[in-house]
Each structure stands twice: as structure tokens, then as C-alpha cells.
């Protein structure tokens, strides 16, 4: 009986909504179709992300493809060398309660080349910053995973 009471009590506690969320516009895509990604700031403070700037793809840190029930393979979107990171603008402010969207042509950097996504189940990891104080070391980088989506 105590186990049941504990379980019921846990269900009665309201869950906190995710403060920053990432979502795609659909759950099924053809291989050549662009994906619209929305980064929503549901927090009480501004966050900063490339998603709101001129180079929104830099907000995506990786694209993950589901391998099995518990395993995901993570792929980069760009080559890992410093010369490939050139061209990113500064992260832009996304005010509390606001969202930004951008279109992404699905691809990953695999075998030293940009490649289209293979058929499968995917999710994206996006990065954003929050400021937790004063000074340059007060900026914290966080990540958020998108919903899962299928490429046919």
C-alpha cells in the first residue's frame, strides 16, 4: 500500500513545463523537404540563440538518428575543424514568451562530406545561452532536444 500512495502522490504534483523547447513543424518529411524548426522561450527571462539570427543553422549542434530502442547516433552538421565554423553571427535575443522559427535543409556531415539524411527516425539538439549573473563567465550554454521526426 505505501508504494501505491507514493505513486499517486507523485502524479498529483504538477510537472513544470520545459522553459525552452524546440519543435519541428511536422513529424514526417521527404528527404529533400526543408524542415521548419521553432525554438520557444517559455521562461521568464531572455535567452540567446543563433536560431534568431542570420545563421540559424548554427543553433543546431547535432542531428541524431535512432539506432535502436535506447540508442541514438549523433551526427554533426558541419565539419569539426575551426575553418568550418566561420560565418556564424552572434546569438540573438529571444525574449521571454517569444519564439523564433527557421527553415533547415536536412543534412549531416558524415564521411568528410555533407550528406542528405537517410530514411529513419531523427531528433535535433539545439543550443542556446542564458545569463546567470554579471561578467563574461555568467553566460551558460544549454541544449534542448526537438521532437522526433521521420525522414522517409
Amino acid at each position: 500500500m505505501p508504494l501505491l500512495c507514493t505513486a499517486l502522490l507523485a502524479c498529483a504534483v504538477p510537472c513544470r513545463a520545459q522553459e525552452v523547447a524546440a519543435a519541428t513543424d511536422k513529424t514526417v518529411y521527404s528527404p529533400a523537404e526543408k524542415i521548419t524548426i521553432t525554438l520557444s522561450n517559455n521562461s521568464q527571462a531572455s535567452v540567446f540563440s543563433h536560431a534568431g539570427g542570420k545563421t540559424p543553422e548554427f543553433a543546431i549542434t547535432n542531428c541524431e538518428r535512432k539506432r535502436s530502442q535506447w540508442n541514438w547516433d549523433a551526427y554533426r552538421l558541419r565539419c569539426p575543424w575551426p575553418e568550418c565554423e566561420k560565418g556564424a553571427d552572434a546569438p540573438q535575443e529571444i525574449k521571454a514568451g517569444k519564439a523564433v522559427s527557421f527553415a533547415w535543409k536536412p543534412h549531416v556531415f558524415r564521411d568528410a562530406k555533407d550528406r542528405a539524411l537517410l530514411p529513419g527516425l531523427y531528433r535535433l539538439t539545439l543550443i542556446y545561452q542564458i545569463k546567470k549573473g554579471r561578467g563574461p563567465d555568467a553566460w551558460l550554454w544549454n541544449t534542448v532536444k526537438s521532437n522526433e521526426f521521420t525522414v522517409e
Side-chain angles (χ1 to χ4, degrees):
M1 189 68 160
L3 181 60
L4 178 60
C5 293
T6 304
L8 290 174
L9 181 60
C11 293
V13 176
C15 295
R16 215 174 109 196
Q18 191 170 359
E19 289 191 349
V20 176
T24 60
D25 60 327
K26 300 187 325 185
T27 57
V28 179
Y29 297 90
S30 66
E33 190 175 0
K34 284 192 175 184
I35 297 173
T36 299
I37 303 156
T38 300
L39 188 65
S40 302
N41 178 9
N42 304 314
S43 73
Q44 298 298 312
S46 291
V47 300
F48 294 78
S49 173
H50 293 290
K54 295 177 186 166
T55 54
E57 185 174 289
F58 282 88
I60 304 171
T61 61
N62 62 47
C63 178
E64 298 176 41
R65 184 171 187 251
K66 193 165 191 173
R67 183 172 12 124
S68 64
Q69 182 178 0
W70 306 109
N71 296 310
W72 293 82
D73 293 324
Y75 298 99
R76 296 176 179 267
L77 268 61
R78 293 166 291 285
C79 71
W81 308 291
E83 62 269 17
C84 299
E85 296 295 325
K86 291 180 182 171
D89 64 339
Q92 300 297 308
E93 181 179 17
I94 304 169
K95 294 184 183 290
K98 301 293 182 184
V100 295
S101 297
F102 64 96
W104 173 60
K105 181 183 176 201
H107 71 280
V108 292
F109 188 78
R110 188 176 64 240
D111 303 325
K113 293 183 181 177
D114 269 338
R115 306 219 182 243
L117 299 185
L118 298 171
L121 185 64
Y122 290 87
R123 67 183 179 192
L124 302 171
T125 303
L126 281 78
I127 192 166
Y128 63 94
Q129 288 180 306
I130 56 173
K131 191 166 186 175
K132 289 290 189 181
R134 295 187 180 173
D137 60 343
W139 290 96
L140 300 175
W141 287 101
N142 291 308
T143 59
V144 61
K145 300 224 184 265
S146 74
N147 58 291
E148 297 174 3
F149 59 92
T150 301
V151 174
E152 297 181 323

